Amino acid sequence: MQLLAYIIVYPILWIISILPFRLLYALSDGVYVILYYIIGYRKKVVKDNLKLVFPEKSEQDIKQISKKFYRHFCDMIFESIKSLTISEKEILKRFKFTNLEELKQYETSKQSVILMCGHYASWEWSISIQKHINFIGYGVYKRLRNPYFDRLVKRVRGKYNSYLVSTKDIIPTLIESKENNKLFLCGMAADQSPKLKKAYHWTEFMGVKAPCYTGSEMIAKRLDLPIAFMAIKKVKRGFYEANISTITKTPKEYKDYEITDIFHKLVEEQIKAAPEYYLWTHKRWKHKDNVPKEFQ
C-alpha cells in the first residue's frame, strides 16, 4: 500500500512542482479557501493557540492573524512541493542570507556549528544555505512512515549537499564526523513540543510554560560546538531573507538549559513581529496544564 500511495501521489506532486510560480500560488489560493472555509483544518487549534499567547488581542485580531497564517501555510505547502524541481538559480533568488560572514568565520577557524531555527516563515527553503558554505550539512528530522516518501525527501535535500539524519542517529553521526575532522553544520528546528516523558526542561514560551527540546544545547556542550540562530523573514510572497547570529561560541560556560531559553526568546521576537508566519497548527502548548512543581 505504501508503494501504491507513492506511485499515485508522486506524479501529481511532480506536475505541481513544474508549474510556474504564478499558477502555483493560484493553486495555493484555492487550497486556502478549502482548508480555511470548507474543511476548517485545525482551526480550533490555531485559534486556541493564538488566544492563549495573545490574550490582549480581540476576536477580530485573532481572526485576521488566523487568515493570514492559513494563506502563508498553503504557500508553504506548495513551496515545499516546488522544491522537487526548483532550479538552484531560482531558489537562490528567492531565499537570501544577509550576513553569511557569521558562518564563514567558523569555516575559517575550522569549527563545526549547530544552527537553530524555529518553525517560522520558510525553514524548508533554508536548506539552500549549503550553496553558500563548505560545511557538510546535516538536518535533524523525524523519519517518515512511508519509506518511499522518506527517500524522496532525502533526495530533495541531497541536491544542496545537505543530509537528513533521524533524531535517533544524529548524535553518533556528529561524533563520527568530528572524530574524522569533517566540518559540519547541523540544522535543528527545535521549538516544538516533546513528549512529556522526554521533557527535561520547561520554559516560558510566549508567556506560557511549556516543555521544550534540549537536544541542540546538549549536543553543543558535549561536542563543544558554537551555536547560531537563523531568523527568517518573509519579504513578500515567495521571497525570504535570513539573518544569522551567534548565540554562543562557548556553550559549556552556560548553565544547563540557559541556551535553550535564549533560543526560545529569539523565536518569540520573530512571532511577536509577524505572528502569521509561525506554525500555529501544532499543539505547542498542549502540556500547559501539566507543569511539574519544580518549574511552576
Side-chain angles (χ1 to χ4, degrees), residues 190-239:
D191 58 321
Q192 295 304 98
S193 180
K195 295 179 180 178
L196 276 179
K197 64 181 180 181
K198 294 184 178 180
Y200 305 115
H201 178 62
W202 292 63
T203 192
E204 191 168 285
F205 184 43
M206 294 297 294
V208 181
K209 283 285 185 179
C212 49
Y213 285 107
T214 59
S216 302
E217 176 178 340
M218 181 270 290
I219 291 172
K221 288 183 174 180
R222 181 171 177 176
L223 300 181
D224 197 21
L225 301 175
I227 301 182
F229 177 73
M230 178 168 58
I232 304 170
K233 180 175 70 174
K234 188 168 187 175
V235 179
K236 60 181 180 179
R237 196 175 203 182
F239 291 84

Side-chain angles (χ1 to χ4, degrees), residues 36-77:
Y36 185 80
Y37 290 102
I38 300 175
I39 298 176
Y41 174 72
R42 293 206 170 191
K43 280 181 73 172
K44 187 177 186 306
V45 173
V46 172
K47 183 178 180 180
D48 288 349
N49 281 340
L50 288 170
K51 290 178 71 174
L52 179 67
V53 302
F54 294 119
E56 75 284 1
K57 292 189 181 296
S58 67
E59 285 286 338
Q60 185 61 29
D61 290 336
I62 296 297
K63 186 176 181 180
Q64 288 303 314
I65 294 172
S66 295
K67 287 184 175 181
K68 289 179 180 179
F69 159 71
Y70 275 96
R71 286 189 179 278
H72 170 70
F73 180 66
C74 292
D75 282 358
M76 277 281 295
I77 292 172

